[in-house]
Amino acid sequence: MDYHERKSIVNMLSTVIVLGIYYWSVFERFSSEVMNTDEQLQFWAKAILIAIPISIAAKIVVMIIFAIGDYVITKEKIPCFEDERDKLIELKSTRNSYFIFGAGFFIALVVLAFGYPPKYMFISLILAGVGSEIFDNLSKLYYHRKGV
């Protein structure tokens, strides 16, 4: 398993753990409060806006710890450049990720169009965001192992 494969696995696990814990606490808080529609929209918008910097900060910390741990364990230096294969893998993975998020966004609109409460639209958007991040890393892992 090379550096890129290990990085994709760590990135995927950190996404699931960090956002899973955060959204678990958000859902617990949401279910304990009684809100009207305007308050629900404001609550979910705040929850997503707060998740963005938490996710970024957690990824930075996890990647620093991963780089140090990977060097200590494998004694391999971090690749400091990307070749054409790595760039192609990144492009294809990003494309796949956008497909997943686009499908989730479409589902969120359908949920809202059929008259479901706004919380289901936001839950669909959150799942689409987390799912696209996971699928991006799975795609990278697949293309690194299988080839592009």
Side-chain angles (χ1 to χ4, degrees):
M1 187 179 292
D2 71 352
Y3 173 79
H4 296 290
E5 293 172 354
R6 292 189 300 269
K7 183 179 171 185
S8 293
I9 291 171
V10 168
N11 202 5
M12 188 171 34
L13 289 176
S14 71
T15 298
V16 170
I17 292 170
V18 170
L19 291 180
I21 291 171
Y22 175 72
Y23 283 119
W24 180 269
S25 69
V26 167
F27 289 129
E28 288 284 324
R29 190 168 154 227
F30 179 76
S31 63
S32 67
E33 296 182 19
V34 177
M35 297 183 226
N36 63 27
T37 303
D38 290 339
E39 292 170 337
Q40 283 184 22
L41 291 173
Q42 190 176 21
F43 175 84
W44 286 107
K46 284 180 182 177
I48 291 175
L49 287 175
I50 292 171
I52 293 170
I54 287 174
S55 176
I56 291 170
K59 290 237 186 258
I60 290 170
V61 171
V62 167
M63 285 298 121
I64 290 171
I65 292 170
F66 167 72
I68 294 169
D70 189 61
Y71 179 74
V72 168
I73 292 171
T74 63
K75 303 293 185 204
E76 295 176 7
K77 289 186 177 179
I78 298 172
C80 56
F81 66 92
E82 290 183 335
D83 59 4
E84 294 300 319
R85 180 178 174 264
D86 293 337
K87 290 177 184 175
L88 187 59
I89 288 172
E90 184 71 30
L91 284 173
K92 285 188 173 190
S93 300
T94 303
R95 177 201 60 193
N96 295 343
S97 172
Y98 286 160
F99 282 139
I100 297 297
F101 187 77
F105 185 77
F106 180 76
I107 290 170
L109 291 179
V110 168
V111 164
L112 201 57
F114 280 103
Y116 287 97
K119 74 176 184 180
Y120 293 113
M121 179 196 79
F122 282 104
I123 291 171
S124 298
L125 287 175
I126 290 168
L127 290 176
V130 173
S132 69
E133 177 78 20
I134 292 170
F135 202 74
D136 180 55
N137 288 302
L138 283 174
S139 296
K140 287 177 187 170
L141 191 62
Y142 174 78
Y143 290 131
H144 276 287
R145 287 194 169 225
K146 190 82 171 177
V148 283

